[in-house]
Amino acid sequence: MRRTPLLALVVALLLGAFTAPAAHSAPDAFAHPGVTVSRGQLDFARDKVLAGAQPWKGAYDQMMASKYADLNRTPKPWATVECGSYSNPNYGCTDEREDAIAAYTDALAWYITRDTRYAQKAIQIMDAWSATITSHTNSNAPLQTGWAGSSWPKAAEIIKYTYTGGWANQSRFATMLRNVYLPVVIKGSNSNGNWELSMMEAAVGISVFLEDKASYDTAMAKFRTRAAAYVYLASDGDLPKTVPSQNLNTRDKIVAYWQGQSTFVTGLTQETCRDFTHTGYGISAISHIAETSRIQGQDLYGTDVGERLRQALGFQSKYQLGTAAPSWLCGGTLHLGLGPVTEVGYNALHNRLGIAMTNTQTLTQQQRPAGSNNLFVAWETLTHGDNPN
């Protein structure tokens, strides 16, 4: 059928309504360094440390005194990293995660001190792994790939874009991320939500480093769906949102997936009644992806992502600070241990957007300087504490 000009216009307008750029679309040009921490944030942290200002100087001292900043560190790469449930077996899992955190720690130390030994140590660690690793295996392989894959691009971004001494094996490292990490994490996971959130954090960070717009869009779309299914808001309705692939199509299935919790209130997460430690992993990954997205030019903090992050932080912080759990919440028993995961979200929502976050503020300030969880979170008082950039 031949379209008339008017019909063609109507069709074009209708198609446009359905194909407008999505909220998660990749930037026209990626910003670097641009994974969780920007050059402006690095400069702010460096200036504060050199001026001896707190809490940044204390956070820097904590980082430099850690095992991750040790210039005598010897990387321990594995060709196959095998990680079972609850780290049984643990063949290379701790070595990989901690070497990745060490590379990021050394990259931060380089940026603040301008001591080239730290940049070279970061490169040594990244080169050792890119020359060796080929796969992750066993049941925890997807999560392990997500955790290590979240730290590697943070380190690589700082070194590639701020160190002028050269990185001869940079392309091999990129190939490692593309071939060993990205194909695993981009698939996502139907396990507990912190798995997929951490995997999407890795996928987003790797996509920025590789300047892979298609993978960035795929990861962001999965992230938006998972974040909405991880933190409940009253506006979601009587039941939490779900990830379609999980077929959580009855109330009983949803309650079981939410650790037996049948009363849903704003700020509750899918793993609150499991324990706060795993909940912290999920909250942290949400904040890291939102921060990377903001650096890349699309601010998710003003969307439902920011609202879910704010409410999740506030809800968990209240109980982490000692409020007794009511009987309707996890049967009145909570397993605390949120971890050093509040700085990024608190800084974005309270300091930048001016939103009151009393409980989160109290907890954040009590926990300073926030260290590392030895998995994928490290030194966020230094990089994001009250950082306006």
Side-chain angles (χ1 to χ4, degrees), residues 158-370:
I158 294 172
I159 296 300
K160 179 176 180 178
Y161 291 99
T162 73
Y163 177 58
T164 58
W167 180 10
N169 293 310
Q170 178 190 128
S171 62
R172 188 179 72 196
F173 185 83
T175 298
M176 176 192 78
L177 293 181
R178 181 174 295 284
N179 293 344
V180 179
Y181 292 83
L182 187 58
V184 175
V185 294
I186 201 74
K187 291 177 183 176
S189 167
N190 287 326
S191 184
N192 281 301
N194 81 85
W195 278 49
E196 185 161 88
L197 288 167
S198 287
M199 292 165 74
M200 290 312 107
E201 178 186 344
V204 167
I206 290 168
S207 296
V208 171
F209 183 72
L210 297 178
E211 298 198 320
D212 184 335
K213 294 183 180 183
S215 293
Y216 184 93
D217 285 351
T218 297
M220 276 293 182
K222 288 188 177 182
F223 164 67
R224 294 294 295 269
T225 299
R226 175 61 69 175
Y230 195 70
V231 182
Y232 176 79
L233 298 178
S235 57
D236 294 337
D238 292 338
L239 294 171
K241 292 180 178 292
T242 61
V243 175
S245 60
Q246 294 191 261
N247 298 311
L248 300 173
N249 49 18
T250 68
R251 179 182 179 85
D252 286 348
K253 287 182 181 179
I254 292 172
V255 169
Y257 185 60
W258 282 62
Q259 319 295 326
Q261 177 69 10
S262 59
T263 301
F264 301 103
V265 297
T266 293
L268 182 80
T269 81
Q270 181 254 315
E271 296 186 273
T272 297
C273 292
R274 180 186 185 187
D275 59 61
F276 276 30
T277 302
H278 286 88
T279 297
Y281 301 164
I283 291 172
S284 180
I286 291 171
S287 71
H288 292 166
I289 296 171
E291 192 72 354
T292 296
S293 179
R294 184 190 67 86
I295 294 166
Q296 297 305 328
Q298 293 195 314
D299 197 333
L300 296 179
Y301 291 116
T303 71
D304 78 296
V305 171
E307 181 63 8
R308 291 179 197 279
L309 178 59
R310 178 175 80 91
Q311 296 291 354
L313 283 168
F315 187 87
Q316 266 65 219
S317 293
K318 172 183 174 181
Y319 294 105
Q320 184 67 37
L321 287 167
T323 296
S327 59
W328 58 262
L329 177 62
C330 311
T333 300
L334 296 173
H335 301 283
L336 303 178
L338 193 60
V341 301
T342 64
E343 288 278 16
V344 176
Y346 169 71
N347 185 56
L349 295 163
H350 175 74
N351 292 329
R352 288 202 205 103
L353 298 184
I355 300 170
M357 298 175 70
T358 305
N359 289 319
T360 306
Q361 179 173 4
T362 299
L363 182 62
T364 300
Q365 293 174 348
Q366 275 188 14
Q367 292 188 150
R368 285 179 173 170

Side-chain angles (χ1 to χ4, degrees), residues 17-214:
F18 291 104
T19 59
H24 53 265
S25 60
D28 291 335
F30 286 99
H32 303 290
V35 178
T36 310
V37 61
S38 68
R39 187 182 293 269
Q41 289 171 321
L42 290 167
D43 286 339
F44 175 86
R46 180 172 191 262
D47 289 346
K48 291 296 186 182
V49 170
L50 295 182
Q54 300 296 357
W56 305 277
K57 180 58 165 61
Y60 166 78
D61 289 343
Q62 174 197 42
M63 179 182 81
M64 297 303 286
S66 76
K67 62 184 178 182
Y68 297 114
D70 183 359
L71 286 170
N72 293 315
R73 183 183 190 89
T74 300
K76 298 177 182 178
W78 293 64
T80 299
V81 175
E82 183 177 356
C83 307
S85 297
Y86 299 99
S87 299
N88 184 24
N90 178 344
Y91 298 134
C93 315
T94 301
D95 291 336
E96 180 189 28
R97 292 193 306 265
E98 295 194 351
D99 273 350
I101 292 173
Y104 176 52
T105 300
D106 288 325
L108 290 174
W110 141 253
Y111 197 89
I112 291 170
T113 65
R114 296 300 196 268
D115 183 336
T116 59
R117 293 178 301 165
Y118 289 103
Q120 290 161 4
K121 177 57 70 171
I123 289 169
Q124 180 197 10
I125 295 169
M126 291 189 285
D127 282 354
W129 280 89
S130 70
T132 307
I133 190 168
T134 59
S135 65
H136 299 84
T137 63
N138 216 315
S139 58
N140 265 30
L143 181 60
Q144 172 74 17
T145 310
W147 280 341
S150 294
S151 296
W152 288 131
K154 289 194 293 188
E157 281 279 299
I158 294 172
I159 296 300
K160 179 176 180 178
Y161 291 99
T162 73
Y163 177 58
T164 58
W167 180 10
N169 293 310
Q170 178 190 128
S171 62
R172 188 179 72 196
F173 185 83
T175 298
M176 176 192 78
L177 293 181
R178 181 174 295 284
N179 293 344
V180 179
Y181 292 83
L182 187 58
V184 175
V185 294
I186 201 74
K187 291 177 183 176
S189 167
N190 287 326
S191 184
N192 281 301
N194 81 85
W195 278 49
E196 185 161 88
L197 288 167
S198 287
M199 292 165 74
M200 290 312 107
E201 178 186 344
V204 167
I206 290 168
S207 296
V208 171
F209 183 72
L210 297 178
E211 298 198 320
D212 184 335
K213 294 183 180 183

